[in-house]
Amino acid sequence: MSSRTTGATATRRGLLAGGAAAAGIAATSSPAAAGRKYKPRTYAKRPLLSRRDRHLVSRFSYGITPDLAAEVRKKGGARAWFSWQLAPGKVNDKAGDRTQGWWPELAQGPLTLWQNHAGGIRGGWLVMEDYQRWVMARRMQSRRQVLETMTQFWENHLNVPTNGEQWFLYRKAYGDVIRRHALGRFDELLHAAITHPAMLIYLDNATSSAAHPNENLGRELLELHTVGRGSFTESDVKDSARILTGWYVDMWKSWKASYRPDLHATGRVRVKGFTAANKSSDGRTVTANYLRYLAHHPDTAQRLATKLAVKFVGDDPSPALVRRLAKIYLHHDTAITPVLEALVDSREFRRSVGDKLRDPAEDVVATYRVLRADLGRPRGTDSAANAMLWQAATIGAMPFSWPRPDGTPLDNATWSSTSRLLASLRNHYGMAGGWWPTEDVGYRPAKAWVPKSGMRFDQLVDHLSRELLHQPSTSVLLKACCEATNLRPGEKITHDHPLVRWSMARLLTTLLDSPEFFAR
């Protein structure tokens, strides 16, 4: 058994044990349950995607809902759905677009935002909280699930955190640029991101000049965004910084972004295999050529292929898969979609079911989606669309809150701590009961989860497993649900049964606390 498989199995076992303990389920069966057999009973009113289809859709979405599953079937299966999703312009997304105006200040320009911040009208950190909420709302409601998933990936790879200083003025616009290029070509995405004022301000390039070149962006461009650590020298960093001089933001005044030829450092430059005479004071061409060179470099292909495999396959992807993806990336001139298609068609991907865990924000979004909570336009601080940010924070991380330029970790271990598990369980319980948040959100009534009054409890568990986890019940899940509710498998559940009147949240939470829900 590979180390990746062993680690994933251990993580899932730990989640199962931790979830049972946190839900108050005894480690050993009660005397009444001793010797009882827990054989699932099918209630197959809801058609399910195949195991293979469920895996692909789950890995590239924020939770499978009945509507999403129906959409996949309508498109002819997960692979056809995935191809359709790779052309997001073909996907009508009124549901995602309706959130555009929920936080009006996100539409304001940098000067207005700065004046409001400096004048004490509304701090920039509050505007950034609104941006984080808007991103979570889009992930929750958008039909362009693959686009949102890949926007998250690239916004993390080219990280400009939302918590910080003056780059908040351009952070929403930066996210829009990433989304526009997320399924395009990496060389174009890289140029758009590195020369964007948000990145320039964040990594101290906004006032970098020939007289005083700042090396921060030039270094991180090499170390994090492209070829990777150990693939360049300090001399490379210096010339990388010189190439990027001239990209300017009028700090503290108009906040306008422009190119300043008078600030560009001219003279021959060499970074790895890239050379340029760099004679012109207008360095935009040399910048474009340099970034194109880095995007097409084999080390960059290797680095991006590795990160994509870690995010979507497993924490320790096979070298063969990484080499194959890197080769396809270079062959297709840095186009992103051929790499993704090769990834999902790979044997390694098909075998990676359950090997990746949701991070805190993904957990919150998925919980809203599978509980079919109806998120409304926020009208106050306690509105669910605002409160969901604090839900992610209590679990461990808000979107784009990682302060360093290397981005939020993609591995499972980071999100497998006991504290994260307990925080997730508390959030699941609060939402399953409809107890928090309660403003501007609608939850399904308890009896709506029982499709037929008088049905057996084991059938109800199977029905809920199909609704929340998009897979049939198992003996382990049935046993956990029986012990969590102190009910027998054959007990009849009517719409006025005590379970429905008082304890449905406990039952729903048991499913949400299962390893199958934590897995992407």
Side-chain angles (χ1 to χ4, degrees):
M1 184 178 289
S2 69
S3 60
R4 175 184 61 79
T5 304
T6 303
T9 302
T11 298
R12 288 167 62 79
R13 287 173 178 168
L15 285 170
L16 179 60
I25 301 171
T28 57
S29 299
S30 63
R36 180 181 298 160
K37 294 182 179 180
Y38 294 90
K39 184 177 180 180
R41 184 178 288 251
T42 301
Y43 186 82
K45 297 294 184 180
R46 175 76 66 184
L48 296 177
L49 301 177
S50 69
R51 184 175 185 269
R52 183 170 175 175
D53 280 5
R54 182 182 72 238
H55 170 51
L56 191 158
V57 177
S58 180
R59 196 60 60 87
F60 280 90
S61 75
Y62 292 92
I64 301 178
T65 64
D67 286 346
L68 177 55
E71 183 176 86
V72 172
R73 287 191 294 272
K74 183 178 180 181
K75 291 298 176 182
R79 189 59 181 82
W81 170 84
F82 186 74
S83 295
W84 173 65
Q85 285 274 313
L86 293 178
K90 297 180 180 179
V91 183
N92 183 295
D93 197 26
K94 291 181 180 178
D97 292 343
R98 79 185 183 98
T99 63
Q100 287 280 7
W102 284 8
W103 294 276
E105 285 167 307
L106 295 178
Q108 294 177 344
L111 182 58
T112 300
L113 288 172
W114 175 250
Q115 290 170 340
N116 290 344
H117 174 81
I121 298 173
R122 194 159 193 256
W125 67 92
L126 297 174
V127 178
M128 287 298 91
E129 288 173 357
D130 286 348
Y131 176 65
Q132 294 168 298
R133 292 166 176 134
W134 177 71
V135 166
M136 292 181 69
R138 278 196 67 90
R139 294 175 184 175
M140 192 182 304
Q141 303 196 13
S142 177
R143 292 181 67 216
R144 297 171 180 166
Q145 287 287 289
V146 174
L147 175 62
E148 291 306 313
T149 301
M150 290 309 300
T151 299
Q152 176 188 348
F153 176 83
W154 292 120
E155 219 168 337
N156 187 60
H157 177 69
L158 297 159
N159 187 42
V160 174
T162 49
N163 54 324
E165 300 182 21
Q166 291 72 34
W167 55 86
F168 81 85
L169 301 171
Y170 281 98
R171 186 59 183 80
K172 166 62 165 60
Y174 180 75
D176 291 342
V177 166
I178 298 292
R179 180 173 284 102
R180 190 157 56 246
H181 290 279
L183 292 171
R185 290 163 47 115
F186 183 71
D187 54 4
E188 295 174 353
L189 169 60
L190 184 67
H191 187 279
I194 296 303
T195 61
H196 196 279
M199 181 69 80
L200 299 176
I201 297 171
Y202 172 51
L203 290 179
D204 305 307
N205 204 87
T207 57
S208 183
S209 65
H212 303 286
N214 189 295
E215 296 180 1
N216 282 357
L217 180 55
R219 180 183 300 277
E220 304 300 3
L221 167 63
L222 294 167
E223 181 174 324
L224 299 178
H225 304 147
T226 57
V227 295
R229 186 176 300 171
S231 296
F232 56 89
T233 67
E234 286 303 306
S235 177
D236 290 333
V237 171
K238 293 182 184 300
D239 276 2
S240 181
R242 293 179 63 231
I243 291 170
L244 296 175
T245 53
W247 297 93
Y248 176 78
V249 178
D250 185 24
M251 303 284 288
W252 315 111
K253 296 178 183 178
S254 69
W255 295 99
K256 288 183 179 179
S258 63
Y259 191 83
R260 291 272 303 270
D262 59 309
L263 298 180
H264 179 62
T266 57
R268 179 165 292 277
V269 289
R270 177 187 294 274
V271 181
K272 292 176 70 68
F274 175 81
T275 61
N278 189 32
K279 293 180 179 180
S280 174
S281 59
D282 187 339
R284 284 176 285 190
T285 298
V286 73
T287 297
N289 292 339
Y290 173 52
L291 294 176
R292 190 177 304 112
Y293 163 81
L294 291 177
H296 287 79
H297 196 283
D299 290 346
T300 300
Q302 181 85 2
R303 179 167 175 77
L304 295 180
T306 300
K307 290 193 73 171
L308 284 166
V310 169
K311 174 66 177 177
F312 295 109
V313 178
D315 288 0
D316 186 22
S318 72
L321 174 63
V322 171
R323 284 195 301 270
R324 202 157 63 244
L325 297 180
K327 182 178 180 180
I328 291 169
Y329 167 88
L330 293 173
H331 179 74
H332 288 275
D333 207 20
T334 80
I336 296 164
T337 56
V339 181
L340 295 179
E341 290 183 301
L343 185 150
V344 302
D345 289 338
S346 69
R347 180 178 59 182
E348 293 88 342
F349 179 79
R350 293 195 297 271
R351 291 180 173 180
S352 70
V353 176
D355 285 358
K356 293 301 297 183
L357 300 180
R358 289 178 169 133
D359 69 26
E362 291 168 344
D363 186 335
V364 172
V365 171
T367 303
Y368 273 89
R369 282 174 61 83
V370 302
L371 288 177
R372 288 187 252 173
D374 184 14
L375 191 71
R377 185 188 185 104
R379 295 179 295 175
T381 56
D382 291 332
S383 295
N386 287 328
M388 63 183 174
L389 185 61
W390 311 132
Q391 292 175 284
T394 59
I395 296 176
M398 299 181 290
F400 318 125
S401 60
W402 192 259
R404 300 185 326 215
D406 57 345
T408 303
L410 303 177
D411 64 296
N412 285 342
T414 301
W415 310 118
S416 301
S417 68
T418 302
S419 60
R420 178 268 159 96
L421 176 66
L422 293 173
S424 286
L425 270 54
R426 284 192 293 269
N427 183 62
H428 295 163
Y429 192 49
M431 289 194 64
W435 298 313
W436 191 78
T438 58
E439 299 294 324
D440 302 314
V441 63
Y443 297 100
R444 297 185 83 197
K447 70 177 182 180
W449 293 108
V450 183
K452 181 181 179 181
S453 184
M455 68 189 305
R456 288 170 56 103
F457 182 69
D458 49 13
Q459 288 183 311
L460 176 60
V461 171
D462 183 68
H463 169 72
L464 294 178
S465 181
R466 293 166 182 268
E467 291 281 300
L468 301 181
L469 308 177
H470 203 76
Q471 52 191 290
S473 175
T474 65
S475 59
V476 173
L477 179 63
L478 177 59
K479 179 180 180 180
C481 290
C482 287
E483 295 195 359
T485 58
N486 198 28
L487 295 175
R488 298 184 303 278
E491 185 157 348
K492 297 298 180 69
I493 308 299
T494 63
H495 284 159
D496 62 351
H497 189 280
L499 170 72
V500 179
R501 296 173 63 191
W502 311 114
S503 301
M504 183 59 73
R506 192 171 180 83
L507 176 58
L508 294 174
T509 302
T510 304
L511 283 94
L512 295 175
D513 291 349
S514 69
E516 288 74 19
F517 183 77
F518 279 96
R520 287 197 291 113

